[in-house]
Amino acid sequence: MSDQILIFDTTLRDGEQCPGASMNIREKLEVARQLARLRVDIIEAGFPIASDGDFEAVKAIASEVQGPRIAGLARCVDKDIDRAAEAVKPAGDRARIHVFLATSAIHREHKLKMAQSEILKRSVEGVKRALGYCKDVEFSPEDASRTEPEFLAEVTQAVIEAGATTVNIPDTVGYAAPHQFGALIKHLYDHVPNIKNAIISVHCHNDLGLAVANSLAAIQNGARQIECTINGIGERAGNASLEEVVMALKVRQDAFSGYQTNIDSTQIYRSSRLVSHMTGMIVQRNKAIVGDNAFAHEAGIHQHGMMANRETYEIMRAEDVGRSSELTWGKHMGHHAVGKKLEEMGYKLSEEEVRRITDQIKTLADKKKQVYDEDVTAIVEGQFSEVPQVWKLGYLSVMTGEIPTASVRLIHAEKKEPIADAGTGDGPIDAMLKTIDRITGLHGSLTDYSVKSVTRGKDAVGEVTVRVTFDSRANVSPAGGETKIVTGKGVSTDIIEASALAYLNAINRTLYEHRRTAETEKPTL
Ligand code: KIV
Ligand code: ZN
């Protein structure tokens, strides 16, 4: 058996399922392009039957992103499979259809109300229908880790016989323990006679914080595809984190002898930043590999050891995952030079976008001494929103003190004159948000607010992320009274201004979503 481990990235499907993490097509395309630069083997681009937006995103990625295979998810239902096939078709030979059906007793009895024989039959039918469209078909017995091992072996054998090229064993609810999950994979190798005709994959959720450990245990017992996401985002507590699986295999070659992936690890940090920016899911500071503190050494004794020999406290170098800052951006750079450097960084931008970014770099260079790659990345990522700027910030002045007061001027895309107002609040941010609400006529509640410095230094650029719900008075809430969390981001050296930009970004996203044609109901997984 080969020791090559395939990396199946599901950031755009399972990752996007976490509340508030939804991305628009342009954002998904940028993430997919970055995943291609990272050299993942398979991109699961979405669940095409879920909505027209999902379908269009999968289709756009299948048409435009070169390199990895492009997968679309489908239940074992004809209309799902047909829709997934249509969406991944532009990928040609690189198209994959991923069909799934739950196999555990609890799902059979309470969700599906199907006997084992019915599950077997539908699984085989689903695989066969998908094979009618493309030769690369993956099957997932959902909740596999809580399925009777004998029945799981029976389903695995049947779908391989039907032609499935990959069988994925999901730990859907993050229930597995590493030694048991490894043993389950071994059980399949011992009891499925045709198992060598397919690649065995695993898809581990992180409800007990064991997703990466379970994935590694599966590899040691024969799994050769790992399903994972950037920053470990995904349903509930998320999925196995791509960067942790990949770096564990790379750094601990002694423990995982010979296993290798195709991943270009120097693209890991950029991928993490991009996904965090696009989804608004902030990476915790102490997150392995990509957290702010992952390579920071605070204690004097550690710093002393590091100076004597890096390896005293460092098992991998920051550069190995692409974490380094160059000081080569400046206000004297013309847009040609900026465009060339951005292209080297892997960004595909229009001439107009490059000009806009160049202007922003110049403005930033006037405000702070050094402009780092990370500053520029934050500016570039801000361009990826296809959301029209209905409301723009014209002017902002905030006074703190006993009665915090904000004066705000906003520009509306369809109104000739800017609209100005002033108001007070419990603090400067509250005063500013209330004033924006009065001007726009919306009523937002912050469910989350965070500020992060993009680079170091007192003059660092601050990135503000807000998560907001808008109440029904503004007539922008989704139908059915459901409260939708909208994420907004803003970047500035002034954090009050960054907060205003983030809030306006959330407003513009909400208005945009509201105006778009109503999406079809997402089927539940
Ligand atoms: O967690 C899960 O079981 C899934 C399947 C659709 C693979 O996401
Ligand atoms: Zn999942």
Side-chain angles (χ1 to χ4, degrees):
M1 193 191 294
S2 151
D3 285 341
Q4 185 69 28
I5 306 298
L6 299 174
I7 298 295
F8 176 110
D9 182 278
T10 183
T11 306
L12 294 170
R13 199 277 297 167
D14 216 325
E16 214 227 358
Q17 278 171 222
C18 43
S22 59
M23 291 173 258
N24 60 43
I25 294 187
R26 171 88 197 258
E27 290 166 337
K28 285 184 184 178
L29 258 172
E30 284 308 325
V31 170
R33 288 199 185 102
Q34 178 57 29
L35 292 173
R37 287 193 282 273
L38 182 62
R39 293 214 296 263
V40 306
D41 299 282
I42 303 107
I43 295 174
E44 185 163 53
F47 188 15
I49 196 74
S51 70
D52 291 343
D54 266 44
F55 174 83
E56 292 303 337
V58 176
K59 197 166 169 196
I61 291 168
S63 312
E64 292 185 34
V65 177
Q66 301 304 317
R69 297 183 162 275
I70 309 296
L73 184 68
R75 293 169 297 186
C76 281
V77 172
D78 290 356
K79 66 174 179 5
D80 280 36
I81 297 170
D82 300 349
R83 193 84 171 133
E86 203 186 330
V88 296
K89 194 170 171 204
D93 277 359
R94 294 180 294 112
R96 173 179 292 193
I97 301 176
H98 176 191
V99 287
F100 75 99
L101 183 60
T103 48
S104 64
I106 188 162
H107 280 242
R108 290 194 313 260
E109 284 159 29
H110 299 280
K111 184 176 92 171
L112 301 169
K113 311 214 182 311
M114 283 181 202
Q116 286 188 350
S117 55
E118 182 68 11
I119 300 281
L120 258 176
K121 182 169 157 284
R122 292 206 188 196
S123 305
V124 166
E125 282 170 1
V127 167
K128 287 192 172 155
R129 189 172 185 93
L131 279 167
Y133 291 109
C134 72
K135 56 183 185 341
D136 185 353
V137 172
E138 170 169 337
F139 176 79
S140 287
E142 191 189 4
D143 205 17
S145 54
R146 293 193 299 170
T147 300
E148 305 86 326
E150 303 70 32
F151 182 51
L152 187 63
E154 209 181 324
V155 174
T156 304
Q157 182 173 345
V159 294
I160 295 176
E161 207 167 289
T165 43
T166 300
V167 180
N168 176 45
I169 306 299
D171 180 24
T172 302
V173 290
Y175 179 74
H179 63 294
Q180 289 171 343
F181 197 58
L184 180 64
I185 302 300
K186 182 169 184 313
H187 175 89
L188 294 178
Y189 271 92
D190 291 343
H191 292 87
V192 177
N194 57 0
I195 198 158
K196 298 254 160 68
N197 296 342
I199 288 183
I200 297 302
S201 165
V202 292
H203 173 114
C204 299
H205 278 272
N206 206 28
D207 299 66
L208 293 172
L210 294 172
V212 171
N214 285 331
S215 305
L216 295 172
I219 288 176
Q220 288 178 303
N221 286 279
R224 291 294 177 266
Q225 175 180 289
I226 299 298
E227 302 202 354
C228 45
T229 58
I230 303 291
N231 300 336
I233 64 168
E235 278 273 0
R236 306 180 310 280
N239 290 61
S241 132
L242 180 147
E243 58 278 9
E244 293 176 23
V245 171
V246 167
M247 291 312 285
L249 292 177
K250 190 174 161 112
V251 172
R252 294 304 311 277
Q253 274 288 302
D254 57 328
F256 302 103
S257 58
Y259 300 122
Q260 52 193 355
T261 69
N262 286 323
I263 296 294
D264 174 358
S265 68
T266 63
Q267 291 291 330
I268 283 180
Y269 189 58
R270 185 163 295 154
S271 310
S272 164
R273 287 270 320 145
L274 184 70
V275 168
S276 171
H277 184 87
M278 296 297 187
T279 58
M281 302 286 296
I282 289 161
V283 175
Q284 79 203 47
R285 295 188 82 84
N286 61 333
K287 162 88 176 61
I289 319 290
V290 291
D292 285 351
N293 293 354
F295 293 91
H297 297 273
E298 193 67 33
I301 190 167
H302 284 206
Q303 289 175 351
H304 176 74
M306 287 279 294
M307 280 191 289
N309 180 343
R310 284 174 83 137
E311 287 177 19
T312 47
Y313 287 102
E314 205 172 73
I315 60 166
M316 61 195 143
R317 292 172 316 150
E319 301 85 67
D320 295 343
V321 296
R323 300 182 66 150
S324 61
S325 274
E326 293 175 42
L327 306 179
T328 50
W329 302 92
K331 59 180 159 191
H332 301 299
M333 274 177 105
H335 78 275
H336 284 302
V338 168
K340 194 159 175 294
K341 219 167 137 39
L342 289 171
E343 212 176 297
E344 278 164 22
M345 287 168 79
Y347 291 112
K348 203 173 163 194
L349 297 155
S350 69
E351 166 121 21
E352 199 209 315
E353 283 169 327
V354 173
R355 281 184 194 275
R356 234 180 3 239
I357 290 165
T358 309
D359 288 346
Q360 284 176 263
I361 293 172
K362 284 177 196 285
T363 311
L364 185 62
D366 277 337
K367 287 189 191 166
K368 73 194 287 270
K369 272 192 264 153
Q370 287 159 340
V371 177
Y372 297 93
D373 276 5
E374 286 90 336
D375 292 319
V376 175
T377 305
I379 291 174
V380 175
E381 287 166 2
Q383 303 288 318
F384 293 151
S385 172
E386 64 177 14
V387 177
Q389 303 252 308
V390 176
W391 289 103
K392 265 206 261 185
L393 186 64
Y395 167 84
L396 172 69
S397 164
V398 173
M399 277 188 346
T400 52
E402 215 166 294
I403 308 174
T405 311
S407 302
V408 180
R409 187 161 63 229
L410 298 185
I411 300 158
H412 189 279
E414 286 156 16
K415 294 189 176 118
K416 277 206 193 110
E417 298 295 321
I419 308 173
D421 203 344
T424 56
D426 286 340
I429 303 271
D430 187 48
M432 185 255 305
L433 297 185
K434 280 187 176 142
T435 310
I436 292 181
D437 276 357
R438 247 199 329 275
I439 297 177
T440 59
L442 300 181
H443 303 274
S445 309
L446 284 190
T447 60
D448 205 1
Y449 172 90
S450 65
V451 191
K452 188 169 181 282
S453 90
V454 176
T455 50
R456 65 212 96 134
K458 284 195 185 125
D459 58 356
V461 169
E463 185 179 71
V464 170
T465 306
V466 292
R467 283 151 80 81
V468 192
T469 56
F470 290 98
D471 83 11
S472 50
R473 275 176 288 171
N475 195 27
V476 289
S477 304
E482 172 204 344
T483 322
K484 190 166 177 187
I485 299 172
V486 185
T487 302
K489 289 245 183 199
V491 175
S492 171
T493 45
D494 171 344
I495 58 159
I496 306 269
E497 183 178 286
S499 308
L501 294 172
Y503 193 67
L504 287 171
N505 180 235
I507 287 179
N508 288 329
R509 290 181 86 101
T510 305
L511 294 173
Y512 176 62
E513 285 291 323
H514 188 68
R515 280 176 199 175
R516 270 195 339 183
T517 41
E519 288 192 342
T520 46
E521 191 77 354
K522 279 203 179 215
T524 47
L525 290 185

PDB file of all heavy atoms in Angstrom, residues 218-239:
ATOM      1  N   ALA A 218      -6.131   6.608  12.236  1.00  0.00           N
ATOM      2  CA  ALA A 218      -6.699   5.956  11.040  1.00  0.00           C
ATOM      3  C   ALA A 218      -5.611   5.729   9.991  1.00  0.00           C
ATOM      4  O   ALA A 218      -5.559   4.671   9.354  1.00  0.00           O
ATOM      5  CB  ALA A 218      -7.829   6.819  10.474  1.00  0.00           C
ATOM      6  N   ILE A 219      -4.722   6.708   9.838  1.00  0.00           N
ATOM      7  CA  ILE A 219      -3.633   6.550   8.856  1.00  0.00           C
ATOM      8  C   ILE A 219      -2.793   5.332   9.225  1.00  0.00           C
ATOM      9  O   ILE A 219      -2.435   4.510   8.371  1.00  0.00           O
ATOM     10  CB  ILE A 219      -2.751   7.824   8.828  1.00  0.00           C
ATOM     11  CG1 ILE A 219      -3.507   8.983   8.167  1.00  0.00           C
ATOM     12  CG2 ILE A 219      -1.422   7.567   8.119  1.00  0.00           C
ATOM     13  CD1 ILE A 219      -2.774  10.324   8.167  1.00  0.00           C
ATOM     14  N   GLN A 220      -2.493   5.196  10.504  1.00  0.00           N
ATOM     15  CA  GLN A 220      -1.642   4.078  10.921  1.00  0.00           C
ATOM     16  C   GLN A 220      -2.312   2.728  10.699  1.00  0.00           C
ATOM     17  O   GLN A 220      -1.663   1.695  10.729  1.00  0.00           O
ATOM     18  CB  GLN A 220      -1.253   4.242  12.383  1.00  0.00           C
ATOM     19  CG  GLN A 220      -0.248   5.369  12.535  1.00  0.00           C
ATOM     20  CD  GLN A 220       0.128   5.611  13.966  1.00  0.00           C
ATOM     21  OE1 GLN A 220      -0.754   5.866  14.792  1.00  0.00           O
ATOM     22  NE2 GLN A 220       1.405   5.528  14.266  1.00  0.00           N
ATOM     23  N   ASN A 221      -3.620   2.756  10.467  1.00  0.00           N
ATOM     24  CA  ASN A 221      -4.340   1.502  10.229  1.00  0.00           C
ATOM     25  C   ASN A 221      -4.848   1.376   8.799  1.00  0.00           C
ATOM     26  O   ASN A 221      -5.698   0.542   8.524  1.00  0.00           O
ATOM     27  CB  ASN A 221      -5.485   1.374  11.234  1.00  0.00           C
ATOM     28  CG  ASN A 221      -4.954   1.037  12.618  1.00  0.00           C
ATOM     29  OD1 ASN A 221      -4.657  -0.132  12.885  1.00  0.00           O
ATOM     30  ND2 ASN A 221      -4.780   2.034  13.451  1.00  0.00           N
ATOM     31  N   GLY A 222      -4.342   2.219   7.909  1.00  0.00           N
ATOM     32  CA  GLY A 222      -4.639   2.008   6.488  1.00  0.00           C
ATOM     33  C   GLY A 222      -5.374   3.118   5.774  1.00  0.00           C
ATOM     34  O   GLY A 222      -5.517   3.069   4.548  1.00  0.00           O
ATOM     35  N   ALA A 223      -5.879   4.134   6.492  1.00  0.00           N
ATOM     36  CA  ALA A 223      -6.574   5.230   5.786  1.00  0.00           C
ATOM     37  C   ALA A 223      -5.550   5.996   4.955  1.00  0.00           C
ATOM     38  O   ALA A 223      -4.435   6.246   5.405  1.00  0.00           O
ATOM     39  CB  ALA A 223      -7.253   6.158   6.783  1.00  0.00           C
ATOM     40  N   ARG A 224      -5.947   6.378   3.761  1.00  0.00           N
ATOM     41  CA  ARG A 224      -5.007   7.092   2.873  1.00  0.00           C
ATOM     42  C   ARG A 224      -5.594   8.401   2.343  1.00  0.00           C
ATOM     43  O   ARG A 224      -5.006   9.029   1.475  1.00  0.00           O
ATOM     44  CB  ARG A 224      -4.586   6.173   1.696  1.00  0.00           C
ATOM     45  CG  ARG A 224      -3.704   5.020   2.137  1.00  0.00           C
ATOM     46  CD  ARG A 224      -2.354   5.543   2.657  1.00  0.00           C
ATOM     47  NE  ARG A 224      -1.496   4.475   3.154  1.00  0.00           N
ATOM     48  CZ  ARG A 224      -1.430   4.091   4.432  1.00  0.00           C
ATOM     49  NH1 ARG A 224      -2.186   4.678   5.357  1.00  0.00           N
ATOM     50  NH2 ARG A 224      -0.613   3.134   4.806  1.00  0.00           N
ATOM     51  N   GLN A 225      -6.725   8.787   2.853  1.00  0.00           N
ATOM     52  CA  GLN A 225      -7.258  10.127   2.553  1.00  0.00           C
ATOM     53  C   GLN A 225      -7.776  10.721   3.860  1.00  0.00           C
ATOM     54  O   GLN A 225      -8.464  10.043   4.624  1.00  0.00           O
ATOM     55  CB  GLN A 225      -8.407  10.059   1.542  1.00  0.00           C
ATOM     56  CG  GLN A 225      -9.065  11.430   1.311  1.00  0.00           C
ATOM     57  CD  GLN A 225     -10.211  11.393   0.326  1.00  0.00           C
ATOM     58  OE1 GLN A 225     -10.005  11.223  -0.875  1.00  0.00           O
ATOM     59  NE2 GLN A 225     -11.436  11.554   0.833  1.00  0.00           N
ATOM     60  N   ILE A 226      -7.397  11.974   4.107  1.00  0.00           N
ATOM     61  CA  ILE A 226      -7.862  12.649   5.319  1.00  0.00           C
ATOM     62  C   ILE A 226      -8.733  13.823   4.899  1.00  0.00           C
ATOM     63  O   ILE A 226      -8.334  14.659   4.092  1.00  0.00           O
ATOM     64  CB  ILE A 226      -6.659  13.175   6.151  1.00  0.00           C
ATOM     65  CG1 ILE A 226      -5.756  12.019   6.592  1.00  0.00           C
ATOM     66  CG2 ILE A 226      -7.146  13.982   7.361  1.00  0.00           C
ATOM     67  CD1 ILE A 226      -6.413  11.008   7.499  1.00  0.00           C
ATOM     68  N   GLU A 227      -9.943  13.878   5.476  1.00  0.00           N
ATOM     69  CA  GLU A 227     -10.825  15.010   5.206  1.00  0.00           C
ATOM     70  C   GLU A 227     -10.649  16.006   6.349  1.00  0.00           C
ATOM     71  O   GLU A 227     -10.716  15.643   7.528  1.00  0.00           O
ATOM     72  CB  GLU A 227     -12.279  14.537   5.083  1.00  0.00           C
ATOM     73  CG  GLU A 227     -12.393  13.499   3.979  1.00  0.00           C
ATOM     74  CD  GLU A 227     -13.783  13.325   3.399  1.00  0.00           C
ATOM     75  OE1 GLU A 227     -14.751  13.934   3.915  1.00  0.00           O
ATOM     76  OE2 GLU A 227     -13.896  12.586   2.427  1.00  0.00           O
ATOM     77  N   CYS A 228     -10.403  17.243   5.986  1.00  0.00           N
ATOM     78  CA  CYS A 228     -10.054  18.223   7.007  1.00  0.00           C
ATOM     79  C   CYS A 228     -10.362  19.633   6.503  1.00  0.00           C
ATOM     80  O   CYS A 228     -10.748  19.808   5.345  1.00  0.00           O
ATOM     81  CB  CYS A 228      -8.569  18.099   7.347  1.00  0.00           C
ATOM     82  SG  CYS A 228      -7.504  17.938   5.901  1.00  0.00           S
ATOM     83  N   THR A 229     -10.203  20.612   7.386  1.00  0.00           N
ATOM     84  CA  THR A 229     -10.481  22.000   6.994  1.00  0.00           C
ATOM     85  C   THR A 229      -9.360  22.908   7.491  1.00  0.00           C
ATOM     86  O   THR A 229      -8.677  22.595   8.467  1.00  0.00           O
ATOM     87  CB  THR A 229     -11.809  22.508   7.617  1.00  0.00           C
ATOM     88  OG1 THR A 229     -11.703  22.402   9.040  1.00  0.00           O
ATOM     89  CG2 THR A 229     -13.015  21.739   7.133  1.00  0.00           C
ATOM     90  N   ILE A 230      -9.235  24.053   6.828  1.00  0.00           N
ATOM     91  CA  ILE A 230      -8.277  25.062   7.277  1.00  0.00           C
ATOM     92  C   ILE A 230      -8.770  25.617   8.620  1.00  0.00           C
ATOM     93  O   ILE A 230      -9.958  25.919   8.773  1.00  0.00           O
ATOM     94  CB  ILE A 230      -8.183  26.214   6.250  1.00  0.00           C
ATOM     95  CG1 ILE A 230      -7.789  25.690   4.867  1.00  0.00           C
ATOM     96  CG2 ILE A 230      -7.237  27.312   6.733  1.00  0.00           C
ATOM     97  CD1 ILE A 230      -6.401  25.171   4.736  1.00  0.00           C
ATOM     98  N   ASN A 231      -7.873  25.737   9.557  1.00  0.00           N
ATOM     99  CA  ASN A 231      -8.156  26.233  10.920  1.00  0.00           C
ATOM    100  C   ASN A 231      -9.117  25.314  11.676  1.00  0.00           C
ATOM    101  O   ASN A 231      -9.626  25.686  12.731  1.00  0.00           O
ATOM    102  CB  ASN A 231      -8.735  27.662  10.907  1.00  0.00           C
ATOM    103  CG  ASN A 231      -7.791  28.660  10.276  1.00  0.00           C
ATOM    104  OD1 ASN A 231      -6.581  28.426  10.241  1.00  0.00           O
ATOM    105  ND2 ASN A 231      -8.310  29.759   9.762  1.00  0.00           N
ATOM    106  N   GLY A 232      -9.424  24.142  11.105  1.00  0.00           N
ATOM    107  CA  GLY A 232     -10.310  23.193  11.784  1.00  0.00           C
ATOM    108  C   GLY A 232     -11.753  23.652  11.876  1.00  0.00           C
ATOM    109  O   GLY A 232     -12.514  23.161  12.706  1.00  0.00           O
ATOM    110  N   ILE A 233     -12.167  24.596  11.000  1.00  0.00           N
ATOM    111  CA  ILE A 233     -13.552  25.071  11.117  1.00  0.00           C
ATOM    112  C   ILE A 233     -14.515  23.990  10.604  1.00  0.00           C
ATOM    113  O   ILE A 233     -14.126  23.113   9.825  1.00  0.00           O
ATOM    114  CB  ILE A 233     -13.780  26.411  10.370  1.00  0.00           C
ATOM    115  CG1 ILE A 233     -13.571  26.266   8.854  1.00  0.00           C
ATOM    116  CG2 ILE A 233     -12.886  27.503  10.916  1.00  0.00           C
ATOM    117  CD1 ILE A 233     -14.065  27.477   8.069  1.00  0.00           C
ATOM    118  N   GLY A 234     -15.752  24.051  11.035  1.00  0.00           N
ATOM    119  CA  GLY A 234     -16.740  23.066  10.578  1.00  0.00           C
ATOM    120  C   GLY A 234     -17.900  22.993  11.544  1.00  0.00           C
ATOM    121  O   GLY A 234     -17.958  23.741  12.525  1.00  0.00           O
ATOM    122  N   GLU A 235     -18.809  22.072  11.267  1.00  0.00           N
ATOM    123  CA  GLU A 235     -19.997  21.886  12.117  1.00  0.00           C
ATOM    124  C   GLU A 235     -19.599  21.814  13.595  1.00  0.00           C
ATOM    125  O   GLU A 235     -18.622  21.170  13.947  1.00  0.00           O
ATOM    126  CB  GLU A 235     -20.677  20.558  11.760  1.00  0.00           C
ATOM    127  CG  GLU A 235     -21.571  20.605  10.559  1.00  0.00           C
ATOM    128  CD  GLU A 235     -23.004  21.045  10.900  1.00  0.00           C
ATOM    129  OE1 GLU A 235     -23.328  21.317  12.073  1.00  0.00           O
ATOM    130  OE2 GLU A 235     -23.789  21.122   9.975  1.00  0.00           O
ATOM    131  N   ARG A 236     -20.343  22.430  14.447  1.00  0.00           N
ATOM    132  CA  ARG A 236     -20.144  22.435  15.908  1.00  0.00           C
ATOM    133  C   ARG A 236     -18.690  22.773  16.282  1.00  0.00           C
ATOM    134  O   ARG A 236     -18.219  23.860  16.011  1.00  0.00           O
ATOM    135  CB  ARG A 236     -20.575  21.085  16.506  1.00  0.00           C
ATOM    136  CG  ARG A 236     -22.003  20.658  16.138  1.00  0.00           C
ATOM    137  CD  ARG A 236     -22.334  19.326  16.769  1.00  0.00           C
ATOM    138  NE  ARG A 236     -21.319  18.340  16.516  1.00  0.00           N
ATOM    139  CZ  ARG A 236     -21.207  17.648  15.375  1.00  0.00           C
ATOM    140  NH1 ARG A 236     -22.107  17.785  14.432  1.00  0.00           N
ATOM    141  NH2 ARG A 236     -20.225  16.788  15.216  1.00  0.00           N
ATOM    142  N   ALA A 237     -17.971  21.787  16.841  1.00  0.00           N
ATOM    143  CA  ALA A 237     -16.583  22.058  17.271  1.00  0.00           C
ATOM    144  C   ALA A 237     -15.607  21.956  16.108  1.00  0.00           C
ATOM    145  O   ALA A 237     -14.390  22.083  16.297  1.00  0.00           O
ATOM    146  CB  ALA A 237     -16.195  21.084  18.372  1.00  0.00           C
ATOM    147  N   GLY A 238     -16.115  21.709  14.927  1.00  0.00           N
ATOM    148  CA  GLY A 238     -15.262  21.722  13.738  1.00  0.00           C
ATOM    149  C   GLY A 238     -14.766  20.354  13.311  1.00  0.00           C
ATOM    150  O   GLY A 238     -15.173  19.311  13.836  1.00  0.00           O
ATOM    151  N   ASN A 239     -13.885  20.396  12.313  1.00  0.00           N
ATOM    152  CA  ASN A 239     -13.321  19.179  11.710  1.00  0.00           C
ATOM    153  C   ASN A 239     -11.840  19.088  12.073  1.00  0.00           C
ATOM    154  O   ASN A 239     -11.276  20.020  12.637  1.00  0.00           O
ATOM    155  CB  ASN A 239     -13.430  19.263  10.179  1.00  0.00           C
ATOM    156  CG  ASN A 239     -14.858  19.158   9.686  1.00  0.00           C
ATOM    157  OD1 ASN A 239     -15.702  19.972  10.010  1.00  0.00           O
ATOM    158  ND2 ASN A 239     -15.145  18.151   8.899  1.00  0.00           N
TER     159      ASN A 239
END
